[in-house]
């Protein structure tokens, strides 16, 4: 199981409870994730990208430095968020991005999904805060990375309010995958050497 557990803080004023997922939550979490990749990302299930969605327990509940959080409302799982201990891979991501965020020392935030009817209630922001606290407590991490699809309504401005842009693939020759890579401030530390300072700043790829 994960080394750090986010204990339920009790329902907030709107009746939401954020907590570390257990085996009983896997089905509800999977449903939120699958609905999001079909409805918002419009990619549908793609095995090489979404294997963790089919078995969230193996992906997030077993490995000690990974975790899955869920938000529950009226007995239903309505939001998810996870940490995995692997960085972006190249291909399909740019090699210099993969080199910047190696697996093992990179905590990747992923599957931060909220059902449409529960958005704009602060759930995603709270989820990020708790996931970053997990990263700090887990030990061994040196960077917090994520990527997002700008086609998802609200995703890009949300992440730009919290994180530093590392690479916008839309600016690459051919447009890349069309996604944007971000780095979040490491919990409890200043920017890493060579990192851009301030949300919304851009890290320039190395000159070759």
């Amino acid at each position: 199981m994960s080394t750090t557990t986010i204990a339920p803080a009790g329902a907030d004023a709107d009746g939401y409870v954020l907590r570390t997922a257990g085996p009983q939550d896997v089905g509800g979490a999977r449903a939120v994730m699958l609905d999001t990749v079909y409805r918002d990302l419009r990619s549908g299930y793609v095995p090489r990208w979404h294997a963790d969605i089919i078995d969230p327990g193996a992906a997030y509940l077993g490995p000690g430095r990974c975790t899955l959080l869920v938000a529950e409302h009226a007995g239903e799982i309505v939001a998810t968020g996870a940490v995995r201990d692997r960085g972006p891979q190249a291909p399909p991501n740019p090699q210099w991005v993969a080199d910047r965020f190696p697996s093992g020392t990179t905590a990747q935030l992923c599957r931060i999904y909220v059902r449409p009817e529960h958005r704009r209630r602060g759930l995603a922001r709270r989820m990020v805060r708790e996931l970053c606290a997990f990263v700090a407590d887990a030990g061994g991490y040196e960077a917090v990375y994520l990527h997002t699809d700008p086609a998802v309504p609200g995703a890009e401005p949300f992440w730009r309010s919290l994180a530093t842009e590392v690479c916008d693939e839309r600016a690459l020759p051919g447009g890349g995958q069309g996604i944007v890579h971000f780095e979040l401030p490491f919990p409890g530390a200043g920017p890493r050497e060579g990192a851009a300072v301030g949300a919304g700043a851009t890290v320039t790829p190395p000159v070759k």
Side-chain angles (χ1 to χ4, degrees):
M1 298 293 290
S2 301
T3 57
T4 303
T5 299
I6 305 298
D12 63 16
D14 292 327
Y16 293 96
V17 177
L18 181 64
R19 55 182 169 76
T20 302
Q24 74 279 5
D25 301 310
V26 167
R30 183 188 299 114
V32 171
M33 295 176 188
L34 283 174
D35 285 350
T36 301
V37 299
Y38 277 95
R39 180 190 57 242
D40 293 336
L41 299 178
R42 298 181 180 180
S43 66
Y45 171 69
V46 181
R48 68 181 183 278
W49 296 340
H50 303 138
D52 61 303
I53 293 179
I54 295 304
D55 194 353
Y60 301 115
L61 304 190
R65 296 168 68 234
C66 302
T67 196
L68 173 65
L69 303 187
V70 294
E72 182 179 351
H73 184 267
E76 179 188 8
I77 302 302
V78 300
T80 62
V83 171
R84 55 184 168 195
D85 59 353
R86 57 191 296 264
Q89 306 298 298
N93 301 291
Q95 184 64 55
W96 72 270
V97 173
D99 291 342
R100 180 180 174 84
F101 298 106
S103 295
T105 58
T106 296
Q108 182 173 175
L109 302 194
C110 51
R111 309 305 178 205
I112 300 178
Y113 300 152
V114 181
R115 289 198 178 278
E117 62 271 26
H118 296 277
R119 292 173 185 168
R120 300 188 181 280
R121 300 174 189 269
L123 287 176
R125 195 170 295 268
R126 184 179 170 197
M127 191 80 69
V128 171
R129 184 168 62 247
E130 297 292 358
L131 291 172
C132 286
F134 172 87
V135 169
D137 290 341
Y141 288 123
E142 298 177 1
V144 184
Y145 160 88
L146 67 103
H147 67 263
T148 193
D149 185 344
V152 177
E156 184 177 2
F158 172 76
W159 289 115
R160 289 193 182 280
S161 74
L162 297 175
T164 299
E165 178 195 309
V166 172
C167 176
D168 186 338
E169 293 199 19
R170 294 171 296 183
L172 300 179
Q177 306 169 90
I179 64 174
V180 186
H181 304 264
F182 289 99
E183 180 174 13
L184 276 83
F186 194 81
R192 290 186 299 145
E193 182 179 354
V197 179
T202 301
V203 178
T204 303
V207 176
K208 296 184 179 181

